[in-house]
Amino acid sequence: PETQKIEDLSDDRYVNLYGRNYYNENYEGTTFINSASGFELKFRGTAVYADICVIGSRDSMWSVFVDGETDSNARVLTFKETRGLFVKNTLVEGLSDGEHVVKVLKRTPSNFDRIIVSDLSCDGAFIAAPEKPALNIEFYGDSITCGEGVLREYQPSDSRVYTAETQNALQSYAAYCASELGASFGVFGRGGITLKFRNPATEPFSVINNYKSMAVDLSVENGECPEYDFSDIPDAVVIYLGTNDYLRSLSSNAGYSLAGMEAAYIEFVDKLVGAYYGFDIPIVLCSGMMVHNSGLAGAVSGAAQTLKPKYPYIAALDFDAGVTESVGGHPVVEDSVKAGAQLAQTLKTLFVNSGRILD
């Protein structure tokens, strides 16, 4: 089938969706809020357009990939807040007249911006969506996984510039790992989020108390979004949380301890993976790129050891400290590349051990 306009982005004949996304009935469109979320389509023509409403306290930044391009900085779109209105935006134009695959993924995090897409159009015809990658990895993380500050200047000293422009989830360790495995990936979480030990006076949510939402700061209870149904079963789960639990413990009494962190990891794996994805899926619990000497590596490996009899393909991975870790800086691209390769290697081993044949 062919069509000139796509009014329902969940129509998988024409659109591949990535990440946790949902239909917003008030705005009559699909909401994209999480880092690295987005959509992919195939069309015949030279240009693709989208009617987009942007909600946020800062710009929403996106990367466009045409026909298998891999450089997330080659085509960057910046969408400004639209005050509740839909604006027609050009996603790509000036392509050679013919068949093209276009993938659009979010660079920026869920706590600053989201877009709602009511429809897609083109100057030719949309055709059947391309095949999705065979592997999909689900990441639960914080600013490290969302690539916060990954593009900032850090030599000779750390600029500490954390803006929409220096953020790119598509250059986080998660993205480099997925790329090496030829996988798609989704991210749940955002900068500053804890696994469990939050400051209840100022933070309603942690990952462990809100992982069933579409995004970690949206309340299902208050009708801000539907509950996530976990029907899209990933091929592996990676959890890299705890940095903010530790940092919170330095300034407020959130009940944090390393034993508590270990227990929280165990609880979360059971609630998420055990409950929805079964026991034979590869799982990696990570630590180390920030607060390297916090003791979190011990809590993470303790949790993995405790869980291993039930989840045979679980591993703990303590990354090397990032190049600005000693001054409290977030990972930069060189850290992401190195950690992504380490994680890909760990996952390859787990896939092989679990009997999964990788192409």
Side-chain angles (χ1 to χ4, degrees):
E2 292 187 4
T3 184
Q4 282 173 311
K5 196 171 188 181
I6 297 169
E7 291 182 326
D8 174 11
L9 271 74
S10 66
D11 184 345
D12 60 11
R13 292 176 304 169
Y14 297 110
V15 184
N16 292 331
L17 293 179
Y18 295 101
R20 293 190 184 190
N21 315 297
Y22 62 97
Y23 186 77
N24 185 315
E25 290 181 358
N26 296 333
Y27 284 91
E28 299 184 341
T30 303
T31 302
F32 297 92
I33 182 168
N34 292 298
S35 295
S37 66
F39 55 92
E40 180 181 41
L41 52 89
K42 192 173 186 180
F43 83 110
R44 195 163 44 245
T46 71
V48 178
Y49 311 96
D51 281 329
I52 295 173
C53 173
V54 183
I55 299 169
S57 58
R58 69 182 197 193
D59 294 347
S60 187
M61 295 185 68
W62 292 71
S63 292
V64 180
F65 304 89
V66 177
D67 298 334
E69 290 170 346
T70 56
D71 180 359
S72 61
N73 297 310
R75 302 174 191 260
V76 177
L77 300 175
T78 300
F79 300 130
K80 305 272 181 200
E81 161 79 55
T82 59
R83 302 179 190 277
L85 302 173
F86 280 88
V87 175
K88 187 172 183 176
N89 284 272
T90 301
L91 300 182
V92 69
E93 64 185 349
L95 301 181
S96 60
D97 197 2
E99 288 187 6
H100 299 284
V101 173
V102 176
K103 188 188 235 180
V104 186
L105 297 176
K106 192 170 189 278
R107 300 162 68 94
T108 44
S110 61
N111 53 322
F112 285 110
D113 66 89
R114 72 191 81 163
I115 71 169
I116 301 153
V117 181
S118 65
D119 61 71
L120 300 168
S121 57
C122 66
D123 64 349
F126 293 106
I127 52 183
E131 219 173 306
K132 274 186 156 183
L135 285 180
N136 180 41
I137 307 167
E138 197 165 84
F139 287 84
Y140 291 81
D142 51 33
S143 54
I144 300 170
T145 304
C146 294
E148 204 156 300
V150 78
L151 296 175
R152 74 191 188 284
E153 293 286 331
Y154 63 97
Q155 290 169 320
S157 59
D158 192 342
S159 67
R160 298 179 184 268
V161 174
Y162 292 91
T163 60
E165 288 75 22
T166 66
Q167 175 129 14
N168 187 6
L170 311 176
Q171 287 184 283
S172 67
Y173 75 92
Y176 285 108
C177 167
S179 171
E180 193 157 322
L181 294 169
S184 59
F185 74 106
V187 173
F188 183 86
R190 49 100 175 142
I193 200 71
T194 62
L195 172 58
K196 181 173 187 175
F197 298 100
R198 62 198 165 89
N199 179 349
T202 56
E203 300 173 278
F205 300 117
S206 64
V207 169
I208 210 164
N209 81 11
N210 206 30
Y211 66 96
K212 292 183 182 179
S213 177
M214 288 293 179
V216 77
D217 295 300
L218 295 181
S219 168
V220 174
E221 214 173 49
N222 296 343
E224 290 176 347
C225 70
E227 189 168 281
Y228 185 61
D229 67 3
F230 298 95
S231 60
D232 193 9
I233 297 185
D235 299 285
V237 173
V238 176
I239 304 167
Y240 185 177
L241 287 158
T243 300
N244 291 305
D245 301 68
Y246 168 75
L247 292 173
R248 211 66 88 253
S249 75
L250 305 180
S251 57
S252 66
N253 182 14
Y256 172 90
S257 67
L258 287 172
M261 247 352 265
E262 186 172 323
Y265 258 103
I266 293 165
E267 180 190 351
F268 185 48
V269 170
D270 279 336
K271 279 184 163 170
L272 170 76
V273 187
Y276 296 105
Y277 302 147
F279 303 101
D280 294 327
I281 181 172
I283 308 163
V284 184
L285 310 181
C286 305
S287 60
M289 279 201 269
M290 290 180 74
V291 299
H292 195 77
N293 300 320
S294 60
L296 279 167
V300 163
S301 79
Q305 282 169 347
T306 303
L307 289 162
K308 202 164 171 62
K310 198 152 93 176
Y311 303 87
Y313 311 112
I314 193 168
L317 176 56
D318 189 39
F319 294 122
D320 294 342
V323 293
T324 63
E325 187 269 351
S326 61
V327 292
H330 283 67
V332 293
V333 171
E334 66 178 274
D335 300 319
S336 297
V337 171
K338 187 162 77 166
Q342 279 181 289
L343 179 56
Q345 197 49 58
T346 302
L347 281 168
K348 277 177 192 169
T349 303
L350 295 174
F351 281 129
V352 169
N353 292 349
S354 70
R356 175 75 187 243
I357 309 300
L358 298 179
D359 290 341

